[in-house]
Amino acid sequence: MLANAHNSGCIVTESGALHTFVQNSREHRLPPWHNDPVIDPHGEAFYIRDEDAGLYWSPMPGPVSGAGDYEVRHGLGYSHFQHISTDLEQRSTVFVPLDVTCRIVRIELRNLADQPRRLSVFNVNHLVLGAVPKDTAPHLETAWDASAHALVARNPQAGAFAGGTAYAALLSPAEAVYHSSDRARVIGQSRSAANPYALEHSATLDGRTGKSLDCAALQAHITLEPGDVRTLSFVLGETNDAAGLATLLNDLRHPGAVDAALAQVQAFWQDFTAQAQVHTGKPEVDILVNHWLPYQALVCRIWARTAYYQSGGAFGFRDQLQDALNLIRHDAKLTRQQILLNAANQFVEGDVLHWWHPYPDGSSRGIRTRFSDDLLWMPYATAKYIQHTGESSILDEQVRYLSGALLEEGEDERFMVPTESGTQGDLYDHCCRTLDRSLKTGAHGLPLMGTGDWNDGMNRVGREGKGESVWVGMFLYAILGDFIPLCEARRDIARAEKYRAHRAKLFEALNTEGWDGDWYRRAWYDNGAVLGSKTSDECQIDTLAQAWAVLTGTATGERVEQVLSAMDARLIDKDVGIIRLLTPAFDQTPHDPGYIKGYVAGVRENGGQYTHAALWAVMAFAQAGRKDKALELLSMISPIRHAATQQGAERYMTEPYVIAADVYGVEPHNGRGGWTWYTGSAGWMMTAAANSVA
């Protein structure tokens, strides 16, 4: 994953398949996004053709593999491919500059033969300039910009993104450069990127541009003398300043500019990751926490908001707040900005957009829901920010409120385009509105579950408005404890007393109604059936409730050891190397917890490892003073540990250098990872290591 702070980036796979986006990774893709790890289609492809031999291949493993091996290395901010075939050494580096909304592929060629080589290097990009190719292709307009020496494209029907001009250009000198926008003539009818028509039948690209053409193809012709080295850099991007495109590209064409841009990217990540280092004594933990996880959290979660498993593009209210909070040791300003951005997506009634797409004009589009925990992450993150920085003045920041139609009775969620309400309040008021809205309780004195608390998959436990969440009770108990002193510091004494009284009632209810004898219950259905109890037919114990009982101080005295022992005995699976979210999995129960039951038993949230909760379990052991146990567990669930042997790697089947959201816990998938990169557990693993173990 490559990206910058301007919401542009590029996904790179081991085959060299690329996917570039600008402004919004779902709503405004340049080439199409593919979620196919088997075929791994190439919406952006590179080829080298030997003009004398008539052979062609790719400098990357795909879409046309050359003879011999390829070496693929992914680093912080770049991906590098190396290959030698037909006496030609090829080194390709893909990166996204820090301050330009584009991706650059730098291809270095060295002639190892004792005779000159006449070569053409092609870059072929399937254009979308929107979300889905079939919706955008009829509207695309392409042209050759002679002043910028670039093939440009626009989509007048791109809505909020219609002002952008996409461009593909060569940044390096070549003997000749050709172009085409006609994908049918470049790739061919009914052909794939693995056997493009133009490379087999055309000496040069045809120069065709115009309307309803969805390709940006470039061909650079060069001659390499024996021993010569040439570098060709191709750029694909978009700008909202079409008049300034020539200047932008001329700056990138300046000698050494591409190398300098790559060096800036590498220096940025070296500096960023150095801001917070831990030393646990476990290399499989330290190398992740000190290098790859902060990169994963910032580049994928905050900036790109996309990956192979999900091309989201949106901000999740709870999601990016957690990511930004977990990056506070690296950049507290980033945390501050995210808190205020989230506050600006709160309704006057106190609830929030569960997720939203930001648009260039400042508007938002997202869904309004009945989730019970989303809104609470704002006061949680705000209090933690103040504790870390000592900067309580953030509470005085004025932020807008949104307005929108309320959900009707029986309506779980609604996609909407909210409007600005015309009112605003300071962040303190925003936080208090969420807290005040969350004080309602059910029959057991605990908060209502709504259509999901932290576990989205339990979306039908409390959708009728009666089900209760033990975990939300713990979460709210902790937040009120953090916020009461802030209320008192602002002389909001009546509110502080209200929160103190409610907190005391929560503590009582959690430790009477919420206690099952050896561990804490998870929730109650609308019909009064209990979840997370020895009497439950399935989901008898849930990691979430046990971990947060310790983390929030809900569990005291001997109960701390009881819940930790229960987790150790029933949820920690050392044979598979996972910490299960719950057990036994939902399978045959007549109750309907929600879409979680649709997952295979033992997969994802339904009884596999959901890594967020696994890391909270690690933190609970550490907070209870059992740091050796916490470090043992942190090492156990490390992806490096999962893939340390060939057998383990073949079982784990995902990247060993970033954390995965899921690790499955059922045969034949035991120990298989899933949903890598785009997971907030990257940030929580950093926090678990830094605060709980180191």
Side-chain angles (χ1 to χ4, degrees), residues 11-245:
I11 295 175
V12 186
T13 77
E14 72 276 8
S15 78
L18 310 179
H19 162 62
T20 301
F21 55 88
V22 172
Q23 297 189 73
N24 187 298
S25 53
R26 183 191 180 280
E27 301 288 282
H28 201 61
R29 302 157 176 163
L30 299 190
W33 174 75
H34 296 289
N35 192 29
D36 189 339
V38 177
I39 299 175
D40 199 15
H42 285 65
E44 305 172 45
F46 290 84
Y47 310 90
I48 298 173
R49 185 171 68 187
D50 187 314
E51 299 292 11
D52 295 316
L55 301 174
Y56 68 89
W57 67 94
S58 295
M60 305 169 187
V64 184
S65 294
D69 296 329
Y70 288 80
E71 179 184 280
V72 183
R73 289 187 286 120
H74 299 295
L76 303 185
Y78 67 92
S79 289
H80 183 77
F81 302 83
Q82 185 169 341
H83 176 59
I84 297 176
S85 61
T86 68
D87 290 328
L88 187 69
E89 183 177 9
Q90 305 140 59
R91 297 172 179 266
S92 305
T93 304
V94 187
F95 72 100
V96 171
L98 294 178
D99 55 359
V100 184
T101 52
C102 69
R103 67 97 175 111
I104 294 175
V105 178
R106 179 185 181 275
I107 303 175
E108 180 185 290
L109 304 174
R110 181 187 299 271
N111 184 6
L112 303 177
D114 56 4
Q115 57 187 7
R117 305 288 298 276
R118 295 193 314 119
L119 304 169
S120 283
V121 181
F122 295 81
N123 174 210
V124 180
N125 305 290
H126 177 188
L127 296 180
V128 178
L129 310 191
V132 182
K134 67 179 179 64
D135 295 337
T136 62
H139 308 297
L140 297 185
E141 301 173 358
T142 63
W144 179 255
D145 187 329
S147 64
H149 300 286
L151 199 161
V152 298
R154 298 177 180 85
N155 178 8
Q157 302 300 315
F161 303 99
T165 298
Y167 57 88
L170 178 68
L171 302 178
S172 312
E175 280 85 317
V177 179
Y178 308 97
H179 66 273
S180 178
S181 293
D182 190 339
R183 191 161 56 94
R185 295 188 185 184
V186 176
I187 297 298
Q189 298 287 356
S190 302
R191 288 192 174 216
S192 72
N195 59 337
Y197 178 87
L199 269 76
E200 296 179 0
H201 298 283
S202 303
T204 64
L205 297 179
D206 60 15
R208 188 167 184 239
T209 60
K211 293 185 177 181
S212 301
L213 298 178
D214 59 351
C215 184
L218 299 172
Q219 174 188 1
H221 183 74
I222 63 172
T223 299
L224 276 182
E225 297 297 329
D228 274 2
V229 178
R230 291 281 294 275
T231 299
L232 298 175
S233 296
F234 293 86
V235 61
L236 176 68
E238 186 176 86
T239 179
N240 287 324
D241 179 17
L245 179 59

Side-chain angles (χ1 to χ4, degrees), residues 281-345:
K282 296 283 189 180
E284 66 271 23
V285 173
D286 293 351
I287 194 172
L288 288 171
V289 171
N290 293 335
H291 301 282
W292 279 100
L293 296 186
Y295 179 82
Q296 180 180 357
L298 180 56
V299 78
C300 186
R301 295 286 298 177
I302 301 291
W303 287 351
R305 303 188 299 282
T306 189
Y308 229 89
Y309 294 81
Q310 180 186 23
S311 180
F315 283 99
F317 197 91
R318 68 161 82 109
D319 296 340
Q320 275 69 41
L321 264 182
Q322 293 174 68
D323 299 323
L325 180 61
N326 286 321
L327 285 167
I328 197 168
R329 291 173 296 277
H330 293 83
D331 186 355
K333 291 180 181 178
L334 184 152
T335 312
R336 189 181 198 276
Q337 291 168 358
Q338 191 66 49
I339 291 171
L340 296 176
L341 175 64
N342 277 49
N345 285 278

Side-chain angles (χ1 to χ4, degrees), residues 521-533:
R521 295 167 176 167
R522 179 63 177 86
W524 281 269
Y525 289 97
D526 288 313
N527 65 7
V530 66
L531 268 171
S533 167

Side-chain angles (χ1 to χ4, degrees), residues 279-280 285 618-619 622 627 630-632 634 687-694:
H279 303 283
T280 66
V285 173
V618 170
M619 294 166 63
K627 292 200 170 185
L631 184 55
E632 172 194 331
L634 200 58
T687 297
N691 287 357
S692 303
V693 176

